[in-house]
Amino acid sequence: MVHQQIWNRRQALSGLRTGATLAVAGAAMPVFSSVAMAQDATPEAGAVGVPTVSVSGHGQVNVPPDTASVTIGVDIIKPTLTEAQTEAATQASSVIEALKAAGIASEDIQTSFFSVNLLRDYSENADPTLITGFEVINQLQVTVRDTDSLGDLLDAAVNAGANSIYGVTFYVDDQTAAASEARVMAVEDARAKAEELASAAGMSLGPVVAIAEGTAPIISPMYARGGGGMAMDAASTPVEAGSTTVTVDVQVTYELRG
């Protein structure tokens, strides 16, 4: 009887082990099936193992500028601060009035710099602690939307009291159309390069995998030089606007096909 009970326990334990093994094996079946399905999937364009080629493209359009920016100001030195401030204010007001009379809108005239400086004598045997005078500088940033009138405008500003003119820069106010044209040129340039590379490798171009753009307008500047005591009323100031270059650069990646 005792031997019969021992044998029955052994049979029960053996059945449990067999069932556990079957259960584990059954749970593992979906894992193998999932792996098989992943191996059968078709790789997408640009995925690992799909050959690609990346190239850069450049587009450039030259357009005549329609806007100019210039700094116009007064630089006054006087023995006393009151004298310097008074004369600087008077001349700056006259310059602003002349600019407006020439057709410059109020919103296109902006004070860009104003300073009051103490002047001292640092020469040999001089006393650097003594104030020898005062300098008042008042500069205006002016936007000129009629570039053909810029020369006459500068003359008018000088005649009104401006004695500091610099930083004349020409540019295109709205670059949308020029940038669109340059963008098309850049993409065409990139494709031509990619086709050459693909042909050299014995392959052909597939679809575009990625494309990125960088826009960088290049402004061609013109500088007008001036200084204290300028006298420009003897002859009209010549101004050449030149041209403005708008460029677009792209980086394009194509899929390659054998």
Side-chain angles (χ1 to χ4, degrees):
M1 186 69 177
V2 173
H3 291 292
Q4 181 67 29
Q5 291 176 349
I6 292 173
W7 186 86
N8 289 339
R9 289 194 187 96
R10 289 176 179 175
Q11 287 294 100
L13 289 173
S14 176
L16 288 174
R17 292 191 188 96
T18 302
T21 302
L22 291 175
V24 171
M29 288 300 290
V31 175
F32 292 119
S33 176
S34 175
V35 172
M37 291 175 64
Q39 291 175 343
D40 293 338
T42 302
E44 297 180 357
V48 176
V50 177
T52 61
V53 59
S54 295
V55 293
S56 61
H58 179 77
Q60 177 175 308
V61 178
N62 294 324
V63 292
D66 56 18
T67 311
S69 177
V70 57
T71 300
I72 301 175
V74 296
D75 187 342
I76 304 300
I77 297 176
K78 291 293 179 181
T80 67
L81 179 57
T82 300
E83 290 178 298
Q85 285 181 313
T86 300
E87 186 165 338
T90 300
Q91 290 187 208
S93 297
S94 297
V95 171
I96 293 173
E97 291 176 3
L99 293 174
K100 291 181 178 179
I104 304 299
S106 297
E107 56 267 26
D108 288 331
I109 303 174
Q110 183 181 50
T111 299
S112 59
F113 182 79
F114 182 86
S115 71
V116 177
N117 304 312
L118 299 176
L119 303 181
R120 303 176 188 273
D121 188 356
Y122 293 98
S123 61
E124 189 177 357
N125 299 324
D127 184 357
T129 64
L130 295 178
I131 298 174
T132 59
F134 295 85
E135 179 184 35
V136 176
I137 301 175
N138 189 347
Q139 296 176 348
L140 305 170
Q141 191 69 36
V142 182
T143 300
V144 183
R145 304 191 184 279
D146 179 11
T147 57
D148 292 336
S149 67
L150 182 56
D152 294 335
L153 180 71
L154 296 179
D155 291 339
V158 171
N159 292 333
N163 58 7
S164 174
I165 298 178
Y166 63 93
V168 179
T169 305
F170 292 94
Y171 60 95
V172 178
D173 188 40
D174 185 0
Q175 300 179 2
T176 304
S180 295
E181 185 178 351
R183 189 174 294 113
V184 173
M185 295 171 63
V187 173
E188 291 176 348
D189 181 47
R191 185 170 186 85
K193 292 178 180 178
E195 287 176 343
E196 289 181 6
L197 291 172
S199 177
M203 307 182 78
S204 62
L205 288 186
V208 173
V209 175
I211 185 169
E213 174 193 315
T215 304
I218 301 176
I219 299 175
S220 303
M222 185 282 288
Y223 299 100
R225 297 181 179 179
M230 291 190 303
M232 301 172 68
D233 55 343
S236 178
T237 301
V239 174
E240 295 296 331
S243 65
T244 297
T245 302
V246 178
T247 67
V248 173
D249 293 293
V250 296
Q251 188 75 21
V252 187
T253 300
Y254 292 91
E255 181 180 331
L256 289 177
R257 292 176 176 173

